[in-house]
Amino acid sequence: MTHAVIGYAAYLPRYRLAGADIGLRRGDRVVASFDEDSTTMAVAAAAAAVAGHPAPQNLYFATSSPAYADKTNATAIHSALGLPNETFVTDMCGTGRSAFAAWRAAAATGGLVVAADVRVGRPGSPDEKLGGDGAAALLFGEGPGIAEILATTSLTSEFLDRWRSPTLLTGQQWEERFGAERYGELVVAAVRRALDGAGATGADHVVLTCPNSAIVKRATTLVKGEKSTVTSPIGFLGAADSSVALCAVLDTADADETILVVSAVDGCDTLLLRTTGHLPEARQARPVSRQRDGGLPVDHLTYLSWRGLVEVEPPRRPEPDRPAAPPSSRTERWKFGLTGSRCEQCGFIHLPPARVCRGCGAADRMMASPVAGMGGTMSTYTVDHLAYSPSPPVVQAVIDVDGGGRCTLEIADAEPERLAVGSRVNFTFRRLFTAGGIHDYFWKARLDD
């Protein structure tokens, strides 16, 4: 049985590198904040994709920039989403082909596919100029589908076009023309096989992604959609490239239209979809185009320090200690899922959770109270220019959560000039800091757009 796509969502971070700073003739580059990585962005995309749907039984996470090696990163996503323990989760690390493998697995078994990447290039390199950071999630399952799978094809070829040593942050690419010649042949052959297998002469929309920029430039000469031909909407996104591009097409496609996704990475994979009448009413709340517009500027030197490519003067404060595994495990539902407790006797909500109610004194009469998907109101805040942070100042705020409960959280993507008592916020999964090779994940509040 082949499962249909029943939900989708993309996530683009807010920060932007000015094109003039990195050699772009126009536009800017989408970059993740210092407290974002592939795991946190995956949570943002996945939470939006599964909203209103039953919990998926499988979760596949594709990335070429995992936060951890020798540890499953998808388990943090699983915990942040509050999924049952019975959910199967796994990483599919590597390239855009890993995302396609996840799509095929989810189409066969049902489940959630999340792809996310933080693309890092050496200063002045094409990777710095032409890359982008972001995430996307596709939910496969039974029920009202928004896009049905008509056909898939794959061609594989071994040649050296792009590579990165596992110990290095930035990658390399062979002379562009060599890879373009090989990929061009593969794209033409794979598209012909896909269309012939489905008995089609063309597709309404085409998504073509490839790490070789020459192929992206030639997209419409290799394969052209009747209504649109979409390449990387924000620059090359690594393992998330085809997923974000497909989300951009789903934002605008009409019902009963075909979408041909072509991903040329160490071969060429294709996926032919047909949209259904459920798509128009099931589009993501914030389309890719809206997320791409605007953004917060970040200085080039600051960005390079976020990625560890330059070393700047650190804050004159002690660095944080390494988080310990036992307390993190004991508080998993709060730390990863932002789940408090509600007293069954009086209804008082505790954030973080507690055994004894501060309202009525009842002991062990608590039920789980998830708040990650809610909003809140800022009741007071402080701007601290002295606290340790890779990107000061640190803004702490007391948040009154909709439905009850109050907690103190750091403000993500802080804009001090926009802060005000009464400001509306939502919650975002972030990396507080990294010490001793351990990432301290928790939730922050973020001002509503």
Side-chain angles (χ1 to χ4, degrees):
M1 176 181 179
T2 299
H3 294 80
V5 179
I6 61 175
Y8 78 100
Y11 170 78
L12 303 185
R14 282 183 169 178
Y15 282 100
R16 305 288 184 267
L17 266 180
D21 290 344
I22 56 176
L24 286 176
R25 293 182 179 179
R26 61 180 182 274
D28 52 22
R29 186 197 196 273
V30 177
V31 299
S33 179
F34 72 95
D35 57 358
E36 294 184 292
D37 59 20
S38 55
T39 297
T40 67
M41 293 192 297
V43 170
V50 301
H53 296 279
Q57 295 183 344
N58 303 289
L59 190 161
Y60 306 97
F61 177 42
T63 181
S64 64
S65 54
Y68 285 114
D70 221 11
K71 182 190 184 311
T72 305
N73 296 274
T75 55
I77 303 169
H78 163 274
S79 187
L81 296 177
L83 299 180
N85 289 344
E86 296 79 12
T87 307
F88 172 74
V89 305
T90 190
D91 291 346
M92 290 186 165
C93 296
T95 65
R97 193 149 229 199
S98 303
F100 240 89
W103 288 6
R104 294 180 68 157
T109 65
L112 178 65
V113 176
V114 196
D117 252 330
V118 178
R119 301 296 304 178
V120 182
R122 286 172 290 187
S125 69
D127 281 348
E128 183 185 58
K129 291 189 292 185
L130 303 178
D133 304 336
L138 297 172
L139 183 62
F140 292 79
E142 301 177 22
I146 62 174
E148 299 172 343
I149 298 174
L150 301 180
T152 62
T153 62
S154 291
L155 298 175
T156 298
S157 182
E158 163 58 27
F159 58 96
L160 192 64
D161 181 59
R162 177 183 291 272
W163 71 96
R164 175 167 58 86
S165 167
T167 60
L168 297 179
L169 182 63
T170 60
Q172 302 177 66
Q173 187 169 7
W174 202 257
E175 196 274 323
E176 190 178 70
R177 183 175 57 182
F178 166 71
E181 292 175 353
R182 299 296 301 272
Y183 277 130
E185 298 169 353
L186 289 164
V187 167
V188 171
V191 167
R192 183 169 56 248
R193 286 167 58 102
L195 295 177
D196 288 348
T201 57
D204 295 308
H205 305 276
V206 168
V207 172
L208 174 59
T209 61
C210 181
N212 190 298
S213 61
I215 290 295
V216 175
K217 294 174 184 176
R218 294 171 48 201
T220 56
T221 65
L222 293 170
V223 53
K224 186 175 182 179
E226 296 292 331
K227 297 186 176 181
S228 73
T229 302
V230 176
T231 56
S232 304
I234 65 167
F236 181 61
L237 273 158
D241 208 21
S242 55
S243 297
V244 173
L246 175 57
C247 287
V249 173
L250 292 172
D251 287 339
T252 60
D254 292 326
D256 198 31
E257 291 185 342
T258 52
I259 305 172
L260 177 62
V261 184
V262 183
S263 176
V265 183
D266 299 319
C268 189
D269 302 292
T270 68
L271 178 71
L272 184 61
L273 302 164
R274 183 183 299 280
T275 61
T276 74
H278 297 289
L279 173 60
E281 61 189 32
R283 301 192 200 276
Q284 62 176 330
R286 298 185 67 233
V288 172
S289 59
R290 180 180 163 193
Q291 295 186 54
R292 180 63 181 88
D293 291 341
L296 304 177
V298 59
D299 177 75
H300 192 208
L301 183 62
T302 299
Y303 163 76
L304 293 176
S305 70
W306 289 355
R307 298 296 181 263
L309 295 174
V310 299
E311 187 174 349
V312 297
E313 181 69 13
R316 297 187 183 275
R317 290 289 183 274
E319 294 189 11
D321 295 328
R322 183 177 72 169
S328 295
S329 179
R330 287 194 297 268
T331 60
E332 177 192 352
R333 297 188 72 181
W334 167 248
K335 178 176 174 55
F336 289 90
L338 201 63
T339 299
S341 58
R342 180 192 296 270
C343 178
E344 295 178 340
Q345 185 162 300
C346 71
F348 191 95
I349 296 178
H350 304 77
L351 305 172
R355 287 184 58 202
V356 178
C357 179
R358 294 196 296 269
C360 67
D364 297 325
R365 295 288 304 276
M366 300 293 177
M367 60 186 297
S369 180
V371 301
M374 299 181 180
T377 302
M378 189 183 302
S379 64
T380 187
Y381 66 92
T382 180
V383 181
D384 191 337
H385 292 269
L386 298 178
Y388 177 86
S389 173
S391 186
V394 174
V395 179
Q396 297 280 353
V398 177
I399 307 299
D400 289 324
V401 180
D402 297 344
R406 168 179 279 192
C407 58
T408 300
L409 297 174
E410 186 177 336
I411 300 296
D413 304 338
E415 302 171 81
E417 67 281 359
R418 285 186 59 200
L419 298 174
V421 173
S423 294
R424 294 290 298 167
V425 300
N426 54 75
F427 303 108
T428 178
F429 191 65
R430 296 295 176 100
R431 183 194 290 187
L432 295 186
F433 60 85
T434 298
I438 298 176
H439 308 309
D440 190 23
Y441 290 115
F442 190 53
W443 292 80
K444 296 184 180 182
R446 190 172 71 164
L447 293 174
D448 285 352
D449 293 333

